[in-house]
Structures are given as C-alpha cells and as structure tokens.
C-alpha cells in the first residue's frame, strides 16, 4: 500500500478493491457495542472517537489524493506538502534561495491542505488550460509557516518560475522585519501573485520590462518610505520593485479587488499598467483572454465554458472580423511569435494555436 503524507491508504490501482474502512452502519454498530461492553473509557478517547477520526482521516486523504492527481493530469504540476516533503522542501528552498530556512512548521492540518488544493483548482480554472500547461510549472509547495530568512512570507516563486511556494497558515503574518506591514491576503490572491511571477519570467522580455518602467516616469521603486495609496501603485508591496508591481496589480485584477478598478478611474498610471497586462494576456492566449473575460472576472461570474466558447467564436471569424476583434481589444504585438508578421500571418498563427487549445 502506498503512503500519502506518511499515512498508508488503499490505492485505487490495486487489483482487488478494498471495502471501506467502516460504513455508516458499521460505525454506529461499533459505537453501540463499545457503549454496551464498557469500552468507552472515562477521560480518554473512546473506540467510537478513534474509529471516527480514522474514518475521517482516510476519507480526507483519499479526497486529497484525487485532487493532487487531477492537478497533475490537467496541468502537469505536482503539488507537494510538508507532510511527506518537509526535508525536500527545506533542501529545495536552501538550494534556490542560497540561505538557511528556519522555522518551517511540521504541524499542518489535512483540512487546510485540502482547502489549498481547492483554491489551486479554482484558481487555474480562470485561465485557458493549455496556457497554464505552456508555463511549465514543475511543482507547487504548500507550506504552513513559510520563512525566507527575513520573516514570514505569503509566497515565493523560484527556479525561473518552475517552483512555487505558498503559505496557508491562518491569521496575520509578522512582516515587520521586511516592509513594515502585517496584513495577510487570501490564498487566492497569493496564488495569482505567484503565478504572475511565472508569467513574467516566461512572457516578458527585456524590451517589455523597459517599457513597463516608461509607464511611470517617476521610477519610484524603493523598500523604504512606502506609503498607502501612492499614485501608480495598487498597494504598498507593489512599490518595492517592478516584479512585485506587476504581480500585485495582476493579482488585484484577477480577484476583482474593489480598489483596483476604483483607482483605475482616477489614476492614469494604473490605467496604463492595466492596459499593458491586458494586452499581454490577450496576445499570449491568442485572443482567449479578452475584455469580456475581464468584465466577467470583475463580476465574479466567469463561466466554466467561457474559453471553449471563445475559441469557437474566434475560429468562426473571417480576417476582416478578426481585425475588428484586435481593435476592440487594443491589440498590439506582445507574443514573440507575432514579431515580424503581417496581420494576415498573425491570424493564421492564432487559428493554428487555437486549434491546439484543449479544454
């Protein structure tokens, strides 16, 4: 029998199916027998309590196994946890960051890990499947007390975007030793923030990064003198570097942060930065992530079949209609495959790439 997080469980691949550990009827019967025979001890866990804990643990482990397998099958990404990868996690972080990692907490809960998997599945569902696969993320590590040597962090993206580490502990993080604030953002915002670091590495070349700097001529990035609601920045962390600026803004856009669209109306720098990110996504998803997609994300109701229908619509267009589609989405060259091609050639490129997209 294989092990998951150090706990043995029955694999679905075994030739002879095993009976459930305990059925509901069996569970109730066990309780009745225990009560009648005096097994229910005073001051300690009863046989019923132990059976219930074992039943729930096994059920949760099976659920976690199905979800990790689904993520691996759909996106080619292995999700790992400290339960079975603590030593590997520490060694990987030390190797990637070049420093000792202290205080990684082994005391995690299956239920928190299970919720994290739900967030990952839900998070990736808001992107075209083939687009995610094309980013070639190797692993996502789920940590309960992630430290980077300078204090708690919510996430780290390493190894040129191949490894993502995400914190799942509840409550505020102590970031006073980093940038002077301690507000913990939800897991889904951290997920999109770290995923954008991958996109940043894969999709933006040197020229695009220089172009980003030109969107805000003040060039006001610093790790000191950070202030709330600074013009051109969606939050305090965005002020620390261009990488964090892009990731913080993108995460706010993906999660319909009330502040991002409100600030966009009065802050022309944020307007330009949002357009930059929208153009990047339109071009690199071959038109799948369009303005309609962003509007649906704002409303919090992106249909599960949106990208499938969007693909069919794009493939139904003729060239003149395609040109109008580009114009309505403020299209410009943002995908390296588009450089040096006419719009007719780009339309052929989009059609061929869209046909490869699976959902």
């Amino acid at each position: 029998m294989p092990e998951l997080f150090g706990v043995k469980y029955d694999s679905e691949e075994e030739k002879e199916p095993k009976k459930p550990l305990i059925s509901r009827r069996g569970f109730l019967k066990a309780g009745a027998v225990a009560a009648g025979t005096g097994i229910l001890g005073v001051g300690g866990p009863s046989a019923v309590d132990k059976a219930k804990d074992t039943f729930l643990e096994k059920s949760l482990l099976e659920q976690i196994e199905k979800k990790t397998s689904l993520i691996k099958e759909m996106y080619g990404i292995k999700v790992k946890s400290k339960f079975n990868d603590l030593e590997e996690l520490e060694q990987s972080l030390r190797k990637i960051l070049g420093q000792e990692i202290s205080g990684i907490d082994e005391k995690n809960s299956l239920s928190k890990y299970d919720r994290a998997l739900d967030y990952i599945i839900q998070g990736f569902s808001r992107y075209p499947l083939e687009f995610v696969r094309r980013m070639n993320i190797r692993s996502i590590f789920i940590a309960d007390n992630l430290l980077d040597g300078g204090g708690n962090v919510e996430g780290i993206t390493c190894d040129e975007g191949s490894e993502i580490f995400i914190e799942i502990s509840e409550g505020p993080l102590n970031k006073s030793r980093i940038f002077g604030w301690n507000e913990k953002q939800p897991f889904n915002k951290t997920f999109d923030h770290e995923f954008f670091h991958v996109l940043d590495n894969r999709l933006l070349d040197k020229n695009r990064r220089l172009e980003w700097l030109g969107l805000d001529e003040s060039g006001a990035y610093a790790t000191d003198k950070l202030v709330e609601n600074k013009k051109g920045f969606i939050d305090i962390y965005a002020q620390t570097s261009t990488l964090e600026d892009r990731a913080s803004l993108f995460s706010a856009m993906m999660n319909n942060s009330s502040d991002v669209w409100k600030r966009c109306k009065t802050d022309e720098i944020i307007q330009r930065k949002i357009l930059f990110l929208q153009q990047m996504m339109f071009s690199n998803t071959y038109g799948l992530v369009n303005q309609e997609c962003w509007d649906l994300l704002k409303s919090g109701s992106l249909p599960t079949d949106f990208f499938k229908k969007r693909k069919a619509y794009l493939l139904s267009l003729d060239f003149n209609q395609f040109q109008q589609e580009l114009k309505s989405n403020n299209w410009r060259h943002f995908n390296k495959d588009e450089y040096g091609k006419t719009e007719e050639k780009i339309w052929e490129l989009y059609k061929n790439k869209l046909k490869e997209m699976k959902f």
Side-chain angles (χ1 to χ4, degrees), residues 81-83 106-110 112-113 142-144 168:
S81 154
K82 297 190 306 299
F83 273 99
E106 294 184 65
K107 295 180 180 179
N108 206 333
S109 73
L110 288 175
K112 283 165 63 177
Y113 185 66
I142 305 300
D144 191 35
I168 60 169

Side-chain angles (χ1 to χ4, degrees), residues 168-183:
I168 60 169
S169 68
E170 298 172 352
L173 298 176
N174 176 20
K175 290 188 175 180
S176 59
R177 288 180 295 167
I178 307 179
F179 299 117
W181 76 94
N182 63 0
E183 180 183 359

Side-chain angles (χ1 to χ4, degrees), residues 99 230 299 312:
Q99 59 187 5
K230 185 174 182 179
S299 68

Side-chain angles (χ1 to χ4, degrees), residues 129-152:
L129 186 148
E130 288 295 326
F131 175 72
V132 176
R133 292 184 67 90
R134 189 156 49 94
M135 295 305 106
N136 293 319
I137 301 170
R138 184 167 55 247
S139 304
I140 296 177
F141 289 87
I142 305 300
D144 191 35
N145 185 23
L146 187 59
L147 305 178
D148 74 343
N152 293 94

Side-chain angles (χ1 to χ4, degrees), residues 160-210:
E160 297 184 342
S162 296
E163 306 277 2
I164 294 176
F165 299 81
I166 303 182
E167 158 80 53
I168 60 169
S169 68
E170 298 172 352
L173 298 176
N174 176 20
K175 290 188 175 180
S176 59
R177 288 180 295 167
I178 307 179
F179 299 117
W181 76 94
N182 63 0
E183 180 183 359
K184 179 170 175 58
Q185 64 181 4
F187 184 98
N188 55 330
K189 289 191 71 176
T190 301
F191 170 84
D192 288 308
H193 183 106
E194 298 306 320
F195 183 52
F196 188 81
H197 283 316
V198 178
L199 305 186
D200 204 310
N201 179 274
R202 303 285 192 266
L203 304 178
L204 297 182
D205 59 18
K206 182 179 178 181
N207 291 331
R208 291 304 186 198
R209 293 189 173 95
L210 288 173

Side-chain angles (χ1 to χ4, degrees), residues 57-324:
E57 183 180 79
K58 182 176 185 294
S59 176
L60 198 51
L61 285 168
E62 290 174 344
Q63 197 168 286
I64 288 171
E65 172 66 9
K66 288 179 180 178
K67 291 175 183 178
T68 53
S69 297
L70 176 66
I71 295 169
K72 176 66 176 175
E73 179 183 348
M74 290 185 69
Y75 305 108
I77 301 170
K78 185 175 182 181
V79 181
K80 302 180 181 181
S81 154
K82 297 190 306 299
F83 273 99
N84 62 339
D85 296 302
L86 178 62
E87 183 177 350
E88 179 183 358
L89 175 65
E90 290 181 322
Q91 289 176 352
S92 181
L93 281 170
R94 290 191 188 107
K95 177 182 176 183
I96 293 168
L97 299 179
Q99 59 187 5
E100 287 295 310
I101 305 301
S102 59
I104 295 179
D105 188 3
E106 294 184 65
K107 295 180 180 179
N108 206 333
S109 73
L110 288 175
S111 59
K112 283 165 63 177
Y113 185 66
D114 184 53
R115 289 199 301 274
L117 292 173
D118 287 335
Y119 281 128
I120 292 172
I121 293 170
Q122 181 184 13
F124 278 138
S125 72
R126 296 166 303 149
Y127 301 91
L129 186 148
E130 288 295 326
F131 175 72
V132 176
R133 292 184 67 90
R134 189 156 49 94
M135 295 305 106
N136 293 319
I137 301 170
R138 184 167 55 247
S139 304
I140 296 177
F141 289 87
I142 305 300
D144 191 35
N145 185 23
L146 187 59
L147 305 178
D148 74 343
N152 293 94
V153 294
E154 292 163 353
I156 306 171
T157 300
C158 311
D159 198 13
E160 297 184 342
S162 296
E163 306 277 2
I164 294 176
F165 299 81
I166 303 182
E167 158 80 53
I168 60 169
S169 68
E170 298 172 352
L173 298 176
N174 176 20
K175 290 188 175 180
S176 59
R177 288 180 295 167
I178 307 179
F179 299 117
W181 76 94
N182 63 0
E183 180 183 359
K184 179 170 175 58
Q185 64 181 4
F187 184 98
N188 55 330
K189 289 191 71 176
T190 301
F191 170 84
D192 288 308
H193 183 106
E194 298 306 320
F195 183 52
F196 188 81
H197 283 316
V198 178
L199 305 186
D200 204 310
N201 179 274
R202 303 285 192 266
L203 304 178
L204 297 182
D205 59 18
K206 182 179 178 181
N207 291 331
R208 291 304 186 198
R209 293 189 173 95
L210 288 173
E211 182 181 334
W212 179 271
L213 288 174
L215 300 177
D216 181 1
E217 296 177 357
S218 67
Y221 291 102
T223 55
D224 57 357
K225 298 180 181 179
L226 306 177
V227 296
E228 294 282 358
N229 299 319
K230 185 174 182 179
K231 185 175 181 179
F233 299 98
I234 195 60
D235 57 30
I236 289 181
Y237 194 35
Q239 299 171 35
T240 61
S241 73
T242 56
L243 291 173
E244 302 306 341
D245 189 9
R246 288 190 289 271
S248 295
L249 181 57
F250 183 80
S251 177
M253 292 164 61
M254 288 299 298
N255 290 280
N256 191 29
S257 169
S258 58
D259 197 37
V260 66
W261 306 114
K262 185 179 183 181
R263 293 274 305 279
C264 179
K265 294 178 181 179
T266 57
D267 191 324
E268 68 276 9
I269 299 174
I270 288 182
Q271 287 177 16
R272 291 196 293 267
K273 289 178 176 179
I274 286 176
L275 182 59
F276 179 100
L277 296 176
Q278 289 178 331
Q279 290 172 333
M280 183 197 82
M281 290 300 293
F282 182 88
S283 182
N284 283 282
T285 60
Y286 303 101
L288 292 177
V289 177
N290 66 334
Q291 187 58 54
E292 181 187 4
C293 179
W294 291 110
D295 291 340
L296 289 168
L297 284 170
K298 287 181 195 178
S299 68
S301 59
L302 184 70
T304 55
D305 62 349
F306 175 81
F307 296 118
K308 185 176 181 179
K309 289 184 175 179
R310 175 75 180 154
K311 171 186 174 180
Y313 168 74
L314 288 171
L315 289 176
S316 72
L317 302 180
D318 60 29
F319 176 64
N320 290 330
Q321 293 169 325
F322 174 67
Q323 284 182 308
Q324 289 300 313

